[in-house]
Structures are given as structure tokens and as C-alpha cells.
Amino acid sequence: MDTSKFPPAPYFDSAELRDQLRALVGSHGSALEARPAVVERLKTLVKAARGTARLQLEADGNGRRCAKGLARFQDELVRLLYDYTVTFVYRATNPSDAERMAVVATGGYGREMLAPGSDIDLLFLLPYKQTPWGESVAEYMLYVLWDLGFKVGHATRTVDQCLKLAQGDTTIRTSLLDMWLIHGDAQLYAELDQRFRDEVIRGSERAFIDAKMAERTERHRRAGESRYRVEPNIKDGKGGLRDLHTLHWLSKYLLGHEVGPETVAKGIFTKEEAATFRRCENFLWTVRCFLHFYTGRPEELLSFEIQPVLAKKLGYRDKDGLRAVERFMKHYFLVAKDVGDLTTILCSALEIQQMKSSPILENMLNPLSWMTRRQIRERTDFRVDNGRMNIADPDVFKRDPVNLIRYFQQAENTDTFLHPNAIRQLRHSHRLIDDDLRADPEANRIFLQLLTGRVNPEATLRRMNEAGVLGRFIPEFGHVVAMMQFNMYHHYTVDEHLIRTVGMLTDIERGAANSDLPLSTELIKTIQNRRVLFVAAFLHDIGKGRIEDHSLVGAEIASKLCPRLGLTPAETDTVVWLIEQHLTMSNIAQSRDISDPKTVRDFADIVQSPERLKLLLLLTVADIRAVGPGVWNGWKGQLLRNLYAETEPLLSGGHTQVPRGTLVAEAQAELRAALADWPADDVDRFIERHYPDYWLRTEPKRQVYHARLLRRAESEGRTFAAEHKTDAFTAITELTVFAPNHPRLLSLFAGACAANGANIAGAHVTTTRDGFALDTFLLAREFALDEDEIRRARRIEDTIERLLRGETWVAQLLATRRPVPARVEAFIVPPEVYVNNALSDVFTVIEVAGRDRTGLLYELTTALSDLSLDIASAHVTTFGEKAVDVFYVTDLTNKKIESESRQDAIKDRLTKILEGPAPSP
């Protein structure tokens, strides 16, 4: 688009506007009377200028130009306002030193770039002390700027005050580092500028660098340590604009210049790195300006609901199996990676120049011995310089490309950081990673050793990835580098998730997760082959980003890659199987009735051996825990442990077929023993109330729990009773309800939960012979303290009882429910409904999947009741924005749903619910 039609910054004619303001004062008789008209005229100006900047941004996509244009507009507005104030409002009648002032831009504004929602940082600089005139001028200007809608950070200080505060406060010092004169007394500003360099900067370089690095570390901790978080903070996140600002500040503090030719001349950055800095800065400013304009506020988080909009505005399109939004975010993460590389290079270079403290105290206290350094120097092509692994000469990688892999092995073995010279040479040597190197047995042997090592494979893989080596040595891994999955479930890019999965296995192996993962911690000690597990963890999602099922694609990739890495045919088969099935155990544990014998038999048929069962459990646990914070919980762990415990005997030969009647009798005998202190008649009465299935599907502890609940209800003469207990380890609150049975009881409960904001993780539904329901509902804990969680459980119990009495209605309770959050609305989850009679010998299994929303389970269970279906058990799972609910049902005669026409009716009804209500007219 032709951008010449847009007026250049500052987007208005300053002389013309000054004449207009002068005319307004004349027509109103005084500046006081003219103030409302002046403010309205300036509001029109601001709106028009911002509109022009936005149109130009949308036309040329140049965020840097937009940010500089907005800064130039702000400059001209401040100059105009200052001149207006000292001419018409607070004229200096007897100019003197006391009535000198310089208006100075500081902070982000001082860098001469402003996003649409940026704060305006102003310093009103005075010669020696505050005066009534200076205070009045600053106050008038600030009030007008506030009336115009600007958020202004301001200070009124003398030169001496500025210097004193800067010496004691790094934040103020940083703000003044980018100061520049907007308007006013140039001599006064020049004094501050010179004295700031002489009295504040000189001699404090090392302390400033340390402070900025510590500040950066803390900022990353708050924003999320990984630069690969799929909802990144474009300003404060790792690899974001603030990291570039940090490089800018360090360059300016040390050299007096921003990143550019001067930093190249000083050897801090190469010419290519300086160009990368500018390219990254341009991209991030473009995204940030679009983000501020679109949201109408200083929003810095690239949230899910905003990402597709920005992708479209920036011109991304669907391509090669990736959606436009995924391609946009991949570009973002590649830029963030480049920013990280630049930061690493600068920090390392400064440290080597002994201007920054060593990042690890242990390295200073326990340096490598001279013997180790000598051995590395004499026996390898590497050397240790200043505690960092360096290369002996620039041709190390060219002379022997295997050194591109050996280098990381040496760094891991010596626990040293990477030298900036080596990092630069690695980046310049990517072309050496060709088919010959990929086929080299020694290179593959070293890589496999690093991947399956016991030192810190996660950190080494991440180093290789950030250096650009990993994705070239394993091209299939390169396909998923910086790839995000546009959903609320995955917190990291695919490459970061794979590396974290390897790290989770290391944590389990070291016992670091023993309290959360007692079974996994024990099992990993007994597996026969570690390396198949670690290779499978590294490759399990490598098939993502393609049209085909990623598990099958990943298995095919592994079948070719594993032999290259040196795995045997048997090991390769195991890795391929693990990748094909890496979601199976999680899906069955969370979405199937484990108490149904056929579920366990079918799963055992898939697994086939105790060793594979161990490996699959460990991979499943590591995979879930590597998805992101809060995804793993104790309830998921309990489900997986239960599935393992039920399946292991079938695979180890410990299972024997026992007649059904015998199993029932044994369960009843076990209950009698547990209730030995009860009168025999009370125990018999409880036993007689239950069908045989109850004794097979309900664990003994829960049977005892049920018996006590029913006895209490009986003694109190009540037909409704409820009991709750909560467990922080499993992260589940268990709520058991005893009430007269009717088909809509589960639906009523789901409605009560929705009304109280409770998320149902599962349900165990039981019917007694005398017409009562004995249902146990598993609620995800919402509160950290048991007391808070118990109060919530009681509220739900009270709601259920009021519903059963007819004192209120579910529709009434849900009328005020919260709308679907905007971040959930951003996703499209195609409705899926499956009716399957092959998964259970007794029940028809109905599986539904769709976009989650408040009250969805209530609507689904209500529909099932309307369709005259009896729900035996419900299994409720949520993957971010996607709800997956599975119901084991029969008709009202306890038979499966065999009729195709009835199955079609079920599918149609549930699909309409998943599609959601029609939009309001």
C-alpha cells in the first residue's frame, strides 16, 4: 500500500496549531477561560495523530517507524504545551535563574520510541531549587496531559538531586541513561548530562552490569522462566523487548552509544549480531504496537484470544500443516531465541572482560584444576578460558565437524559455561552439519550418550538447541523448534516440551519427585533399558505440526532415526511402540472405567509385557508433568497408579480367573472383617442393599465408607445424606451423596457443581436394590487450605439438597453463571460424539469432546436422562479449552444401546449441545 498519503510524524503542523491556540485565548479573553476549549482541541489532535499512526502501521507493518512517529508527536506536543504555558498561563515576568527549566524525556520515552499505550516519563529539570513558577508550570502541563488521557510518570528535580538519587537507585540511574532534551534550557540539560557521565557512570560500570543482570533474572522469574511460554509477555518475558533494552542499557553505559557500529568496533557484537538486534527490535515493536492499538490499552501479554487477530493483521496464512497463528508464534519464538543468543553473547563477553561477577559462585570457589585444564588443552580441540569452554582455534569445527557435538560433551563433563567465541563459531558453522555428520557413528554415539546421560541431559539439549545445532543434527527435531500448539493445554513450544520431558525423567531418576511420584521413583530403578525410555521421551512429540496423527508420524521418524543413533532393532521396536502409544495410558486412566475388567484386559493386550508397562507409565508421567505448571496433579497420579496396579498382574502371570460369585463373596467377607465391631444384622442389611456389580467395582475402603454413611442416614431417619473428604496429595475432594435414585440425579449434581464453580474430575455412580443412589463425585481442589475446601463442599451439599427438595432449580442457579472467558472463545474445538459397544462387556460407552464451558456436564447429563439412559459411571477430563467426557450407560432395562437409529439420536442430541447455544439475535 502507498504510505506517501499519510502525513509524516509528528502528524500535524505545529505552527498552525500554535496560531489556533493563540486565537482561542484571544476569543475567550484569558488562558483560564480558554482552557476547556484548548483541551478539546488537543484531544482532537491526539486522536487524529494516533489514528494516522495506526493507519500507517497497518499499511506498512513497520512498528519501529510507528513507535518513533508516536515519540516525535509526543515531543512536539510537549513543546507546544510548554510554550503555551509559559506564554499565556505562567509568563516569566522577570526571567532569572529561578525561572529556568528544561523538560527532559527519560525512561522508555527517552529512547525516542513509544508504543501506543506507553507511559510518558518526564523530568522537569530546575537549576537549584523548586520555585512557585517552576512548580506551577509543571503542574499545569501535567494536568493537561492527564486530561488528554496520557499516563505520565514525572519528577521535578534539580541537577544535584538527580545525581544524588541516581547514585543510590539503579532504576533512576537507568531512567536517566536514556534522557534527552525535549524543550527548554539547553545549558541546564547539558550540565546534567555531563555531570551524570562524570559523577554517576564513571567507575560504576561493574556494579551497574551486575544490577541489570540480577534485575533481568528476577523479571524472567516473575514472567515465566522459559522464553517458550505459549502466552509470552512481549515486554518483560524472556527474549522480549526488555531483554533488548538491557543490551541497549549496557551498551550505552559502557560505550556511551546504543547497539550499532560502536559496539561492533569495540568487539562486543559482530556486524551480523548488531543487524540481528535491529531485526529483532523491529519485529517486537511491530507486534507491540499492533497489540496496543488492537486492545486499546498497554497490553503486553500475547494471550490466546489476541494471537489469531495479530497473525491475520501481520499477514500470516495457513501453510504446511500449520495454522496462521502457529506460524506467527513460531516467528515470535525464533526472534525470542535470537534475543536470548545476543544476551548470552554480551553477558559472556562482559564477564570475560572481568566487568561482571561470575554467574556461579561454586565455579569461583572450586575452579577446574590446572590438571584438568591442561588435559583438555592437550587432548582435545578445546580449552577453558575464564571458566568457559572455548575452541582452540577458529577452524576447530571445520577441521573435524564431529567437534560440533564433542564441544557440548566437554562443556557438560567440566560443568562449564559456553564461551562467546565458541557460540559465534557454532552459529557460523551450521552448514557443516550435513548428511555426512548426521551419519557419522562417533557423532551419533556422543549425542546418544548426552541424551541418555545422568549428569544433566536437559540442560545440554537446551544448549544445543539454542546454539542451533540440535535442530540441524536431528532435522526432524528442527521441524518442531519454536513450534507452538494453539491450545490452552500446552504451556511451551514443542521443542521445549520435549527437552523438559527428558528433564522430568532425570528428576524422577534422582528421586527429586519422590513425594509426588512414589511408584515412578521405585519403578525407574528396575527398568532394564534406560536409553529406550530417554530416546522415546525426546522423540514422543516430534511428529507434531503435520496433518497426520503425530504419534504415528513420530513412530515412523523413530524407526529411521534410532538405528542411526546406534540403537539395536529390539530397542528401536520398543521406542517406536512407546511413541505410538504415548497417549494411551493417560487416555485410559482419565477417560475409562478402570473398574470394568474389559478396560484392563484391553489395555493389557496393548502393552503385552511388564517391562513395557513400566516404561509407558514413566513416559506418561514425564510427558504430563512437562506440559506446564499445574497440569499434573495428585488425582492424575492416582488414576495412573490404579491402572498400573490393575494391569500388572495380568502381564506378570499373577492373575487367576476366579468365578464371579466367589469374588463377590470374598469382597463381602472382607467388609464383615472390616466392620467386625458392628452388629451382624447391620452388616447384613448393608450387604443385601447392593447388587453383585457393586462388590466388584467398589474398592474395600470405599465400601466401608459407604456403610458408615448409610448407617448414619438410617439412624437419623433421613433419605438424604452427604459426606466429604479432601486430600491435598491427590488434589481431589471426594463428595459422596446418598439420595433416592432418579435418572436426573447426576444431572442435578453437575448443575450444583456448575453453580458453585466446581470442576468435576470423575464420578462413581451406584444404585442400590431398594431404589437409592449412592454416588461419589470427585472434585478438583480449588483451595490450598482444607478448611476452605470443606466449606465449598458443604455449599455444594446444601445446593444438592435444595434441588432435591424442589426449593430451587438448576436453570435458576445457572442463570447468573459467568460467560465463557474470552481466551476460551478464541479456540474452535470441533464437536465429537462416539457411541461404542466394544469397550465394555456390560455398558455402551459414549465419549464426547468439545469446547469446555460452565454447565456443559449438566447439559450433557440432562440430555442423557432425557434420552432414557442410565449412567453407570462418568469420567470427566479437561485439556485446556477441550472437555472430554465419557459415560458408561445402559438403557432403562440395563442393556446396551444396540439400535443404530437410537445411537444416531444420541449423537445428534449431544452434538447440538457441544456446538453451544445459538447466538442471541
Side-chain angles (χ1 to χ4, degrees):
M1 182 183 293
D2 180 18
T3 59
S4 61
K5 63 181 180 180
F6 300 112
Y11 312 123
F12 72 99
D13 186 323
S14 178
E16 181 181 342
L17 187 60
R18 289 167 187 268
D19 290 341
Q20 291 176 11
L21 297 186
R22 184 179 295 107
L24 285 174
V25 173
S27 64
H28 285 79
S30 69
L32 180 63
E33 295 295 328
R35 189 183 188 283
V38 168
V39 170
E40 283 305 310
R41 177 65 188 91
L42 294 180
K43 282 183 178 180
T44 303
L45 174 72
V46 171
K47 184 178 180 180
R50 290 170 63 87
T52 300
R54 180 171 186 170
L55 288 172
Q56 188 169 50
L57 176 67
E58 292 175 347
D60 62 19
N62 190 325
R64 185 182 182 86
R65 179 183 296 165
C66 177
K68 282 195 167 293
L70 288 171
R72 189 173 174 200
F73 167 74
Q74 197 70 44
D75 295 342
E76 203 58 43
L77 178 64
V78 170
R79 292 187 189 109
L80 181 146
L81 185 56
Y82 177 84
D83 288 344
Y84 176 85
T85 303
V86 299
T87 301
F88 298 109
V89 185
Y90 294 107
R91 184 190 295 272
T93 54
N94 186 23
S96 65
D97 268 1
E99 293 175 343
R100 294 167 59 204
M101 176 184 284
V103 184
V104 180
T106 62
Y109 181 22
R111 287 189 295 275
E112 301 182 65
M113 294 178 74
L114 285 176
S118 292
D119 295 353
I120 310 302
D121 297 319
L122 293 176
L123 168 66
F124 295 96
L125 186 64
L126 304 175
Y128 53 87
K129 68 177 181 177
Q130 179 68 284
T131 65
W133 176 84
E135 183 177 2
S136 298
V137 169
E139 184 179 89
Y140 186 87
M141 291 180 65
L142 288 171
Y143 272 107
V144 172
L145 289 170
W146 288 330
D147 287 344
L148 296 177
F150 293 106
K151 185 177 179 182
V152 186
H154 61 94
T156 304
R157 295 178 183 137
T158 65
V159 172
D160 287 339
Q161 288 172 333
C162 288
L163 298 175
K164 183 177 181 181
L165 289 169
Q167 287 166 343
D169 189 315
T170 304
T171 301
I172 294 175
R173 190 185 314 178
T174 305
S175 178
L176 292 178
L177 186 61
D178 283 316
M179 64 183 171
W180 73 288
L181 178 66
I182 301 173
H183 203 38
D185 195 310
Q187 184 179 352
L188 185 60
Y189 170 77
E191 179 189 351
L192 173 62
D193 184 49
Q194 185 62 49
R195 290 183 61 190
F196 178 73
R197 279 183 279 149
D198 293 343
E199 299 176 27
V200 178
I201 292 180
R202 187 171 297 160
S204 66
E205 290 87 352
R206 177 171 176 170
F208 181 78
I209 293 167
D210 285 346
K212 297 320 290 183
M213 291 297 99
E215 192 179 281
R216 173 176 169 268
T217 300
E218 174 59 20
R219 184 177 68 254
H220 290 168
R221 187 193 65 78
R222 292 195 308 268
E225 184 61 33
S226 175
R227 71 173 60 95
Y228 304 110
R229 294 292 294 268
V230 293
E231 285 188 294
N233 186 307
I234 192 170
K235 180 181 177 183
D236 291 328
K238 197 169 186 179
L241 272 169
R242 191 62 86 199
D243 279 355
L244 288 180
H245 294 162
T246 299
L247 298 181
H248 163 84
W249 291 325
L250 294 177
S251 176
K252 199 160 186 182
Y253 208 91
L254 296 173
L255 307 175
H257 300 280
E258 61 182 24
V259 176
E262 292 80 7
T263 50
V264 173
K266 291 285 186 179
I268 300 296
F269 283 138
T270 65
K271 186 177 180 180
E272 293 78 9
E273 288 161 355
T276 298
F277 178 97
R278 183 56 59 90
R279 175 176 53 80
C280 293
E281 186 181 51
N282 288 346
F283 175 82
L284 292 174
W285 269 107
T286 298
V287 174
R288 190 183 187 204
C289 287
F290 268 113
L291 182 60
H292 282 203
F293 274 132
Y294 174 72
T295 60
R297 61 180 185 272
E299 178 61 70
E300 309 296 352
L301 188 70
L302 272 175
S303 58
F304 288 128
E305 64 267 29
I306 292 171
Q307 289 173 12
V309 177
L310 293 188
K312 184 177 180 180
K313 286 184 175 294
L314 290 165
Y316 293 87
R317 300 289 181 266
D318 295 354
K319 186 179 180 183
D320 297 334
L322 290 179
R323 287 178 283 181
V325 63
E326 292 169 336
R327 294 184 65 229
F328 161 51
M329 292 307 296
K330 180 166 186 171
H331 188 180
Y332 175 89
F333 291 120
L334 289 173
V335 167
K337 177 182 176 299
D338 284 341
V339 173
D341 291 345
L342 292 174
T343 305
T344 299
I345 289 168
L346 179 63
C347 294
S348 302
L350 294 177
E351 183 181 335
I352 289 165
Q353 293 176 13
Q354 297 183 344
M355 300 196 69
K356 180 182 178 294
S357 303
S358 177
I360 298 237
L361 182 61
E362 288 81 0
N363 281 0
M364 293 189 293
L365 299 178
N366 300 297
L368 290 173
S369 68
W370 67 270
M371 181 70 74
T372 301
R373 294 171 185 268
R374 178 180 173 184
Q375 288 175 349
I376 293 171
R377 185 184 295 269
E378 293 179 351
R379 299 178 184 177
T380 75
D381 287 325
F382 312 112
R383 58 194 293 172
V384 178
D385 291 336
N386 298 94
R388 293 179 176 270
M389 187 58 62
N390 200 358
I391 51 178
D393 61 76
D395 294 327
V396 161
F397 300 132
K398 184 178 181 181
R399 188 165 57 246
D400 183 359
V402 177
N403 280 331
L404 287 160
I405 312 299
R406 288 195 190 102
Y407 174 77
F408 295 96
Q409 182 185 41
Q410 283 295 328
E412 181 180 87
N413 291 343
T414 54
D415 192 25
T416 51
F417 289 87
L418 310 187
H419 196 284
N421 291 345
I423 295 173
R424 286 186 174 118
Q425 203 58 43
L426 281 167
R427 296 179 70 181
H428 291 153
S429 302
H430 287 163
R431 60 182 178 78
L432 299 175
I433 307 175
D434 54 15
D435 289 342
D436 289 340
L437 179 62
R438 296 184 194 107
D440 188 282
E442 176 69 2
N444 283 287
R445 183 193 66 78
I446 295 171
F447 176 74
L448 184 62
Q449 188 178 69
L450 293 173
L451 169 59
T452 61
R454 297 179 185 271
V455 180
N456 194 346
E458 178 184 4
T460 299
L461 289 171
R462 187 171 288 112
R463 281 177 167 182
M464 295 181 74
N465 192 31
E466 294 186 349
V469 171
L470 185 54
R472 286 172 173 80
F473 188 66
I474 310 289
E476 298 84 357
F477 186 88
H479 179 75
V480 300
V481 168
M483 179 187 292
M484 67 93 73
Q485 300 165 81
F486 188 61
N487 59 55
M488 289 171 56
Y489 181 63
H490 293 92
H491 293 231
Y492 302 106
T493 56
V494 178
D495 56 328
E496 177 68 5
H497 168 69
L498 292 174
I499 292 171
R500 283 173 176 262
T501 304
V502 173
M504 291 297 171
L505 285 179
T506 303
D507 282 349
I508 295 171
E509 194 169 46
R510 291 175 176 170
N514 183 51
S515 59
D516 290 337
L517 308 173
L519 177 61
S520 297
T521 303
E522 288 303 313
L523 289 181
I524 203 166
K525 300 172 186 175
T526 68
I527 59 174
Q528 297 172 16
N529 192 321
R530 287 179 68 257
R531 66 184 195 173
V532 297
L533 178 60
F534 277 75
V535 171
F538 176 64
L539 298 178
H540 73 274
D541 275 349
I542 205 165
K544 288 282 181 77
R546 305 167 197 254
I547 298 173
E548 303 87 349
D549 183 330
H550 81 278
S551 298
L552 299 179
V553 174
E556 184 179 351
I557 291 171
S559 69
K560 299 174 182 176
L561 181 61
C562 289
R564 187 197 118 185
L565 294 177
L567 271 64
T568 66
E571 290 175 322
T572 298
D573 287 345
T574 301
V575 172
V576 168
W577 180 85
L578 284 169
I579 294 172
E580 282 182 347
Q581 303 296 335
H582 76 271
L583 297 175
T584 301
M585 193 169 192
S586 173
N587 288 340
I588 290 176
Q590 297 184 67
S591 302
R592 296 287 180 263
D593 188 348
I594 301 172
S595 65
D596 187 326
K598 191 172 190 306
T599 298
V600 180
R601 288 199 308 270
D602 290 347
F603 179 59
D605 288 342
I606 294 171
V607 178
Q608 296 187 339
S609 78
E611 182 67 12
R612 282 189 170 186
L613 179 63
K614 293 177 188 177
L615 293 171
L616 187 57
L617 174 68
L618 291 165
L619 176 59
T620 301
V621 169
D623 184 14
I624 296 174
R625 287 174 70 87
V627 167
V631 174
W632 175 267
N633 57 40
W635 169 240
K636 290 177 182 176
Q638 188 63 42
L639 288 174
L640 289 168
R641 284 190 290 272
N642 287 348
L643 180 56
Y644 179 89
E646 293 290 332
T647 309
E648 196 274 339
L650 297 181
L651 299 172
S652 64
H655 178 73
T656 56
Q657 290 293 333
V658 179
R660 184 181 178 88
T662 302
L663 292 173
V664 171
E666 289 176 352
Q668 292 172 350
E670 189 173 347
L671 177 71
R672 292 182 191 278
L675 300 176
D677 56 335
W678 279 31
D681 288 347
D682 289 1
V683 179
D684 289 342
R685 194 160 54 251
F686 176 78
I687 289 174
E688 290 167 2
R689 299 182 82 157
H690 295 287
Y691 293 104
D693 279 354
Y694 172 82
W695 305 102
L696 301 176
R697 297 173 58 237
T698 310
E699 60 183 335
K701 288 182 179 179
R702 184 164 283 144
Q703 293 170 10
V704 174
Y705 187 71
H706 288 168
R708 288 174 176 156
L709 176 64
L710 269 63
R711 190 186 196 200
R712 190 190 71 185
E714 192 177 70
S715 66
E716 295 174 356
R718 299 185 50 158
T719 58
F720 173 83
E723 188 64 70
H724 54 260
K725 59 182 180 180
T726 188
D727 184 356
F729 176 70
T730 60
I732 287 292
T733 293
E734 188 174 299
L735 182 60
T736 301
V737 179
F738 174 69
N741 189 37
H742 64 81
R744 299 183 184 275
L745 187 64
L746 179 59
S747 177
L748 289 178
F749 176 78
C753 286
N756 286 277
N759 180 34
I760 303 172
H764 301 280
V765 182
T766 302
T767 304
T768 67
R769 292 179 185 272
D770 54 346
F772 281 84
L774 183 57
D775 297 345
T776 299
F777 304 99
L778 307 169
L779 310 178
R781 272 179 69 116
E782 182 178 0
F783 300 102
L785 297 178
D786 287 353
E787 295 84 355
D788 295 333
E789 192 65 23
I790 288 169
R791 273 193 292 271
R792 184 181 70 147
R794 287 173 178 158
R795 286 198 306 271
I796 297 172
E797 291 172 6
D798 179 66
T799 302
I800 294 172
E801 189 167 13
R802 288 191 295 117
L803 287 168
L804 291 171
R805 288 175 177 171
E807 296 175 2
T808 187
W809 302 93
V810 174
Q812 183 180 357
L813 293 172
L814 295 179
T816 57
R817 63 186 175 183
R818 296 189 297 264
V820 178
R823 67 199 306 264
V824 177
E825 288 274 13
F827 299 95
I828 297 173
V829 181
E832 297 175 283
V833 180
Y834 302 100
V835 179
N836 194 315
N837 279 320
L839 295 174
S840 173
D841 293 331
V842 179
F843 304 103
T844 294
V845 179
I846 299 175
E847 180 173 349
V848 303
R851 191 172 69 182
D852 194 21
R853 65 176 186 269
T854 306
L856 176 61
L857 183 60
Y858 162 71
E859 295 177 44
L860 292 170
T861 51
T862 298
L864 293 175
S865 297
D866 290 344
L867 292 163
S868 300
L869 298 175
D870 190 9
I871 302 172
S873 67
H875 307 270
V876 181
T877 312
T878 304
F879 299 95
E881 75 285 356
K882 184 177 183 178
V884 179
D885 298 339
V886 178
F887 306 95
Y888 282 64
V889 305
T890 62
D891 62 17
L892 298 184
T893 64
N894 291 325
K895 295 186 182 300
K896 288 186 178 183
I897 315 304
E898 303 285 0
S899 165
E900 288 189 13
S901 61
R902 194 170 182 193
Q903 290 182 10
D904 290 340
I906 293 169
K907 293 177 183 177
D908 290 344
R909 178 73 179 274
L910 298 184
T911 299
K912 288 178 181 177
I913 292 172
L914 293 170
E915 289 172 344
S920 302

